[in-house]
């Protein structure tokens, strides 16, 4: 059974606006979460992470929020840029991945 | 070469063939992994090697056989595969084994006819 879920397969956002990508998990034992970004014909690359002792982690335009009680995390990209167009994967405890959300940023 | 490389990038094979996928990491990492990504499914962890020792085999059929001769190289030997094994096979490495960021190769797109 899938323990990490990304329920939105795709998302389109205008350049300069905020992109919000969501991820839900079912296993309360998960305590470390990562976001990866994947361009076509390339492997996923690490973007940002958060441990369960925090509820927010920020790195430049990227912020990850963690809501442990809801077993939910989200990735915010502000402002969105066309180069952010990629597939974004949420992962928990290093090995449990979601199916990905394809983000398109429209110039 | 830098990062994690995989060869071949594309592979088409029949069900009776034997082939091997190769992964090489140039990052000095100690752990290496094989993942399978099928269409509309999450990445599935197949095998984990930590300091050349296999520490995880995620209920993978025996027609997939991993080999890790040293901490920089990882192989996936394939034999008598099924059409449902067609997928993107990704190799990754990390410095350690716990709470680590993984570095992925570009993947091998495998098609089994």
């Amino acid at each position: 059974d899938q323990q990490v879920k990304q329920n939105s397969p795709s998302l389109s956002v205008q350049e300069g606006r905020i992109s919000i990508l969501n991820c839900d998990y079912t296993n309360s034992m998960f305590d470390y979460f990562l976001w990866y970004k994947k361009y076509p014909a390339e492997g996923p690359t690490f973007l940002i992470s958060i441990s369960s002792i925090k509820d927010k982690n920020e790195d430049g335009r990227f912020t990850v929020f963690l809501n442990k009680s809801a077993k939910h995390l989200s990735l915010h990209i502000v402002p969105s840029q066309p180069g952010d167009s990629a597939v974004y994967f949420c992962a928990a405890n290093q090995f449990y991945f979601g199916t990905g959300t394809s983000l398109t940023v429209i110039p | 070469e830098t990062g994690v490389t995989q060869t071949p990038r594309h592979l088409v094979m029949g069900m009776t063939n034997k082939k091997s996928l190769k992964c090489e990491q140039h990052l000095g990492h100690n752990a290496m992994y094989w993942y399978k990504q099928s269409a509309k499914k999450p990445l599935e962890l197949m095998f984990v090697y930590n300091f050349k020792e296999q520490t995880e085999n995620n209920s993978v059929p025996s027609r997939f056989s991993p080999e890790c001769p040293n901490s920089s190289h990882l192989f996936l030997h394939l034999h008598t595969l099924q059409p449902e094994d067609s997928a993107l096979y990704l190799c990754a490495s990390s410095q350690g084994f716990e709470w680590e960021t993984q570095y992925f190769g570009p993947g091998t797109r495998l098609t089994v006819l």
Side-chain angles (χ1 to χ4, degrees):
Chain A
D1 191 30
Q2 212 172 312
Q3 299 188 62
V4 176
K5 297 179 183 177
Q6 294 176 258
N7 293 317
S8 298
S10 62
L11 175 68
S12 289
V13 171
Q14 288 286 339
E15 181 178 5
R17 307 293 287 267
I18 184 171
S19 296
I20 300 177
L21 295 94
N22 294 303
C23 179
D24 297 294
Y25 60 96
T26 58
N27 190 336
S28 57
M29 299 298 290
F30 287 154
D31 54 10
Y32 184 56
F33 304 89
L34 309 95
W35 285 93
Y36 288 86
K37 174 176 165 179
K38 185 181 184 302
Y39 292 118
E42 294 182 15
T45 55
F46 171 72
L47 192 57
I48 193 169
S49 63
I50 188 168
S51 76
S52 60
I53 61 172
K54 295 178 134 185
D55 52 20
K56 176 182 172 182
N57 189 25
E58 195 169 349
D59 183 2
R61 296 185 297 112
F62 302 90
T63 303
V64 55
F65 295 92
L66 176 62
N67 182 334
K68 291 184 287 293
S69 60
K71 295 194 184 69
H72 177 83
L73 63 156
S74 60
L75 174 68
H76 292 211
I77 307 173
V78 183
S80 301
Q81 299 173 355
D84 296 329
S85 298
V87 177
Y88 289 79
F89 292 96
C90 167
N93 279 32
Q94 193 168 346
F95 300 125
Y96 299 89
F97 284 78
T99 49
T101 295
S102 178
L103 173 66
T104 302
V105 180
I106 304 163
Chain B
E1 288 276 18
T2 58
V4 181
T5 58
Q6 289 186 244
T7 53
R9 295 294 307 273
H10 300 271
L11 179 62
V12 179
M13 60 187 287
M15 289 191 283
T16 58
N17 292 157
K18 288 185 181 180
K19 297 285 184 184
S20 295
L21 310 184
K22 179 182 175 183
C23 175
E24 185 172 0
Q25 57 97 357
H26 308 266
L27 300 167
H29 288 169
N30 297 311
M32 296 186 78
Y33 315 86
W34 279 116
Y35 284 88
K36 174 184 178 182
Q37 187 183 19
S38 304
K40 305 214 188 296
K41 286 186 159 186
L43 272 72
E44 299 171 51
L45 180 67
M46 298 175 73
F47 300 104
V48 178
Y49 278 83
N50 193 25
F51 288 96
K52 300 189 301 174
E53 297 298 318
Q54 185 176 317
T55 58
E56 187 98 16
N57 173 345
N58 230 15
S59 304
V60 180
S62 59
R63 56 185 183 268
F64 295 91
S65 173
E67 179 190 359
C68 188
N70 55 61
S71 58
S72 298
H73 293 86
L74 186 64
F75 294 90
L76 188 63
H77 304 299
L78 316 171
H79 63 98
T80 59
L81 293 193
Q82 306 297 311
E84 59 264 30
D85 297 321
S86 298
L88 180 69
Y89 289 84
L90 289 161
C91 172
S93 70
S94 63
Q95 179 59 47
F97 183 60
E98 297 280 341
W99 282 50
E100 292 285 341
T101 299
Q102 293 175 72
Y103 293 79
F104 285 85
T108 295
R109 174 68 62 185
L110 173 68
T111 303
V112 181
L113 301 176

